[in-house]
Amino acid sequence: MNLSVIICTYNPDLTIFNKCLEAISIASAIKKPYEIIIIDNNSTNSISKNQFVQSFIHKQSAKLICETKAGLTPARLRGIAEATGDLLIFIDDDNFIAENFFIKGLDVANKYQHTGSWSGRVTLEFEEEPASWTKPYWGMLVNREITDDKWSNLPHLAETMPCGAGLFVRKNVADHYLDYIRPEKEMYRWTERKLTFFQQEITTFRHVPAI
């Protein structure tokens, strides 16, 4: 199964983005993706001007694409349209994936072939330790503490809705979604598109800047 890694970014913190790409490089050394696509969502200064980005593109044979329509959704949709692999992986520019991230994602794809998309544990890394009273609200920052695997084909079910940070989605499911949002195309039923899955062994770290 071919992996397409899609990295969406907009005016990233360069130190954090460098760490993001380094984590992807480490994971790629263990399981090399079929392709890596960076979607620059019309950053004020093109990210291609940065040496560490140029080095990453060269070493990983990555493709850099500029999406001029603002917003994370247009950036991800562009990634879906450009990707050619069987399994898409969405990584944001403040995510640091675990070194076994690709392997664990493939394990889910092969073991649970009825699932269309899935994600896993997301751990927050804070620049400054926040006050303890804020912890109940960390879920708003996509903090996910998963104790067991769950799946469902029901839409909008919070406990099984995959998060965008470290999202895996099969290409055929993503293509159905593109068809779904195009008014001239046939509407697909939720049960055909939204099979979702949480995998407790897939880990993504998300950087949280100081306020």
Side-chain angles (χ1 to χ4, degrees):
M1 182 176 293
N2 293 330
L3 302 178
S4 291
V5 177
I6 301 169
I7 309 164
C8 297
T9 183
Y10 170 72
N11 287 349
D13 178 300
L14 297 183
T15 299
I16 301 305
F17 190 39
N18 188 20
K19 186 175 177 180
C20 169
L21 297 184
E22 286 178 347
I24 293 171
S25 295
I26 293 171
S28 298
I30 298 173
K31 174 60 183 178
K32 186 173 179 60
Y34 175 68
E35 62 184 356
I36 299 177
I37 303 170
I38 303 175
I39 306 294
D40 183 354
N41 197 198
N42 209 23
S43 296
T44 304
N45 296 308
S46 174
I47 62 170
S48 64
K49 297 179 180 179
N50 296 288
Q51 181 60 42
F52 73 89
V53 176
Q54 296 175 8
S55 176
F56 177 85
I57 291 173
H58 175 71
K59 292 179 180 177
Q60 301 297 331
S61 300
K63 182 191 300 184
L64 176 61
I65 296 170
C66 182
E67 171 54 53
T68 57
K69 187 174 181 179
L72 182 56
T73 295
R76 287 178 175 167
L77 293 178
R78 181 65 181 274
I80 293 172
E82 296 286 345
T84 59
D86 307 305
L87 181 61
L88 313 185
I89 307 168
F90 289 95
I91 301 173
D92 294 338
D93 58 17
D94 62 352
N95 297 164
F96 317 134
I97 61 172
E99 62 182 20
N100 61 355
F101 187 76
F102 299 149
I103 291 176
K104 291 296 183 180
L106 277 171
D107 287 346
V108 175
N110 293 324
K111 186 176 180 181
Y112 300 93
Q113 298 189 19
H114 62 288
T115 60
S117 61
W118 58 94
S119 63
R121 180 191 298 113
V122 179
T123 301
L124 303 180
E125 290 190 355
F126 295 95
E127 285 186 358
E128 296 180 3
E129 189 64 27
S132 58
W133 64 265
T134 64
K135 190 168 185 178
Y137 304 99
W138 290 2
M140 297 179 181
L141 299 173
V142 200
N143 181 65
R144 293 289 177 88
E145 298 177 358
I146 301 170
T147 57
D148 57 348
D149 298 337
K150 297 178 181 179
W151 72 270
S152 172
N153 62 353
L154 299 176
H156 312 305
L157 190 63
E159 62 183 297
T160 55
M161 181 66 70
C163 57
L167 173 68
F168 290 82
V169 58
R170 296 184 193 272
K171 181 66 160 75
N172 63 335
V173 173
D175 285 341
H176 282 335
Y177 179 70
L178 286 181
D179 287 336
Y180 172 75
I181 64 174
R182 293 168 182 159
E184 72 276 11
K185 297 293 185 178
E186 178 184 357
M187 304 290 263
Y188 289 85
R189 291 182 299 143
W190 275 103
T191 52
E192 294 173 337
R193 297 192 342 273
K194 288 294 289 185
L195 288 172
T196 63
F197 188 83
F198 273 126
Q199 227 292 339
Q200 59 178 329
E201 294 183 354
I202 300 173
T203 303
T204 304
F205 298 92
R206 183 167 187 235
H207 176 81
V208 181
I211 298 176

